[in-house]
Every structure is written in structure tokens, then in C-alpha cells.
Amino acid sequence: MKHFKALWVTETPEFKQQIIERSVADLPEGELLIKVEYSCLNYKDALSASGNRGVTKHYPHTPGIDAAGTVVESSVAEFKPGTEVIVTGYDLGMNTAGGLAGYIRVPAAWAIKRPAGLTAQQAMSYGTAGLTAGLCINKLLKAGLMPEQGTVLVTGATGGVGSIAVALLSKLGFKVAAVTGKAEQAEWLQSLGAEQVLSREQLAEGLNKPLLRPLWAGVVDTVGGDLLFNAIKALNYGASAACCGLTAGVNFDASVLPFILRGVNLLGVDSVELPLAEKQAVWDKLAAEWSVPALEQLVTEISLEQVPAAISQILSGLHTGRMLVKLGDH
């Protein structure tokens, strides 16, 4: 019987996080048993670990919405034992025991084969955040975005999605303006490729105006709220904003004027229920032509035992970049 360490969140009645030993016999049913090499810590994991019922309904629970590892048991021909895989999204880490553990058991329909040239460590250095950033940029490119059209705005730029979006857009030849509430991180954002760093207050100027001066060839928005609509009001004619986050709120005070006077587009981006083929296509790009050269600058590697403290840091808004979680003795 295989035993492993896992983050375990209990409700007693307050929510408590601890590292315990579990058995694979405790895991839910699924076609693949995967030995996890690396996971990462996302904002959604922090919400799950602190009792957010919109993310996780039932406790005790192991969070972790993504994992990279190796198949050790399989009941499907497509994934033989030894296959290196990535699992992101669907119900992993929400109401199904997640990747902040030594093993996961999941349906085969949740897994993709890890692209050649991408290690498990690199895969989770990107994680769901990197996948989401790639999906945003892919949508903008399909909508016609080209480097010669001007500057692309990235909101929440010191977060996981935002920081990877800044680095990836810069690699692809775009001028990038990064928005952050952490002025002390300006130099770090510039090292990732941002040519311009703006404060949230600067982006919030003109909230009461129906339109703003055209500034942006495209937008990757990770925060939502009124800042998203201010970015939309400043899009160039026919340009697009890709929206994937809600840390600044789920609502914004909007009008149709930017859409009917400038023909702009608001593109929704989901990385959870997305068909596997679309996930695979972006992972293949991240492993090859979209490989971010500054990836190691984005990552802080921690152990499973350090996760509870890191969750507090995330919920306090004090983290930057990505938190990579190493499992086992890899």
C-alpha cells in the first residue's frame, strides 16, 4: 500500500491546514494513478485551503488545481505506466483531491502527455497560470493582434498569470505596459520585459468617462472589476481585451460605447473546462516556440511543508510571480 504526504484542510470549526500522511486507497476513483513530482500554489488553492465554498464544497480536502508527474497505474491504453503527464483544471483540487500531495487519482480525460523538452519542474513553473497566460495571448493573436500595432497592457502583472504574460509577450516582440499595485516590483517587471510600469491608480483615472484616449493594442486582464472596463475604454479601434481573472471584482460599471464606437472586443478566457486538445496546443507552444527565457525569475520553489505559510502570503497579497511546490524526493 502506497503512502504519501498531502496538504489536508479540515473544518473544526475554523479551517486548519496541516501536512498528513495518506494512502492511495483513500483517493477517489479514476483511470490514472499519478505520482506527483511538482505542483504549484495558485490563488484558487489559497481560497480552497481557507474554506471558500465557491471553490470547495466539502471538507476535509486536499487543494491543488494542477500537477505534473508520472503515471504509475492505468486502466486505459493511451496512458501506460511511466507516461509523463500534466493535469490542470476540471475538478482537480476543487472537490477532487488535488496536486498538493504525493499522488493523485484522476480520469484519463483530465490528463495530457507532457511535451518533449518540458520537465515536470518547468511544467509547474508555468502551471495553470502559464497555461492561462498562453490562452489569453493565443486569443489576442487569433483576433489579429500584431507587434506593430502598439503596446499591450497587462493588469495584475506581478501575479502568476500577469508575470508570465509580460515575459511571453515581450518574447513574442510586443511592447508591454505592466500594471501593478506593488511599485517596488517595477524593476523586476522591467527585467521580465515590461517597457512601461503603471500603478493601479493610473489605470483607474477616468473611471467616470465613457471613453478614454486610445492607448492599447491589446489587453491581458487578470483582475476584472472597473479596471478592466477602464482598459477596454482605452483600446485602439478594433482591438481586443482578453479577460481571465476577478481579483478586483466580478462586476464593472460598463457602457456599450467602446464596443459600438471603436469596435473593440472583450474575449473571455477559461482554462478549467477547456477541451484537452486546446490545452495540449498551448502546452506544446510553451515547450517550444513560446518557451519563456526568464522562467526561473518568475518562480520561488517551496516544499509541501512550507505551503501553509505561503497560502497566508497569497491571501495577504504579498506574493509575486509563481510558487512552485516540490513533492517527494525528486
Side-chain angles (χ1 to χ4, degrees):
M1 187 69 66
K2 298 182 180 71
H3 290 84
F4 60 93
K5 289 182 179 180
L7 179 69
W8 194 238
V9 181
T10 55
E11 183 179 8
T12 58
E14 71 280 357
F15 288 91
K16 180 181 178 182
Q17 306 145 17
Q18 56 187 320
I19 308 303
I20 68 166
E21 187 172 278
R22 301 195 74 201
S23 165
V24 295
D26 300 327
L27 293 173
E29 293 184 359
E31 293 143 325
L32 304 179
L33 178 65
I34 299 166
K35 184 177 177 62
V36 179
E37 297 176 45
Y38 286 91
S39 184
C40 52
L41 197 53
N42 302 277
Y43 184 64
K44 188 180 284 187
D45 300 324
L47 293 178
S48 173
S50 55
N52 187 299
R53 299 288 183 183
V55 178
T56 300
K57 294 180 175 63
H58 305 292
Y59 294 85
H61 175 65
T62 294
I65 62 171
D66 38 23
T70 303
V71 174
V72 294
E73 294 178 11
S74 172
S75 61
V76 295
E78 183 182 358
F79 293 94
K80 294 179 170 55
T83 305
E84 297 171 332
V85 294
I86 300 170
V87 183
T88 63
Y90 306 110
D91 195 48
L92 183 72
M94 296 180 67
N95 294 291
T96 299
L100 293 171
Y103 286 85
I104 56 173
R105 187 183 280 123
V106 298
W110 293 4
I112 67 163
K113 295 178 180 177
R114 198 169 79 226
L118 191 67
T119 67
Q121 183 180 38
Q122 290 169 330
M124 286 299 99
S125 294
Y126 289 115
T128 297
L131 172 64
T132 304
L135 290 167
C136 287
I137 292 167
N138 204 40
K139 274 208 169 183
L140 291 173
L141 294 175
K142 287 183 177 180
L145 179 65
M146 295 180 288
E148 58 267 27
Q149 293 172 339
T151 300
V152 179
L153 183 75
V154 178
T155 67
T158 57
V161 179
S163 58
I164 293 177
V166 169
L168 181 51
L169 284 164
S170 177
K171 170 169 180 158
L172 296 177
F174 289 92
K175 294 180 180 178
V176 181
V179 182
T180 180
K182 301 181 177 75
E184 70 278 6
Q185 296 298 331
E187 187 174 337
W188 179 71
L189 288 168
Q190 289 165 346
S191 75
L192 299 182
E195 295 192 7
Q196 186 180 359
V197 179
L198 305 174
S199 68
R200 285 195 296 245
E201 290 74 22
Q202 287 174 290
L203 184 60
E205 291 174 3
L207 279 178
N208 296 324
K209 295 182 179 179
L211 284 172
L212 296 172
R213 180 167 60 92
L215 290 172
W216 315 124
V219 175
V220 174
D221 175 72
T222 74
V223 300
D226 288 332
L227 293 182
L228 166 60
F229 194 57
N230 246 30
I232 291 171
K233 289 187 287 186
L235 280 170
N236 295 342
Y237 189 92
S240 301
C243 170
C244 67
L246 47 69
T247 57
V250 297
N251 300 313
F252 56 81
D253 187 14
S255 79
V256 299
L257 290 181
F259 301 98
I260 63 176
L261 296 182
R262 290 191 183 152
V264 301
N265 309 292
L266 177 58
L267 309 174
V269 176
D270 166 57
S271 64
V272 179
E273 297 293 336
L274 193 70
L276 272 184
E278 295 183 46
K279 289 187 179 184
Q280 184 79 61
V282 172
W283 278 113
D284 288 344
K285 288 182 178 181
L286 290 172
E289 68 267 27
W290 283 10
S291 175
V292 172
L295 190 59
E296 68 281 354
Q297 293 177 242
L298 300 169
V299 174
T300 300
E301 185 172 310
I302 63 175
S303 67
L304 186 61
E305 287 73 16
Q306 293 173 296
V307 165
I311 287 170
S312 297
Q313 191 178 6
I314 287 177
L315 292 173
S316 301
L318 299 175
H319 77 296
T320 58
R322 306 279 296 122
M323 286 193 181
L324 176 69
V325 183
K326 185 176 182 180
L327 280 305
D329 301 320
H330 306 284

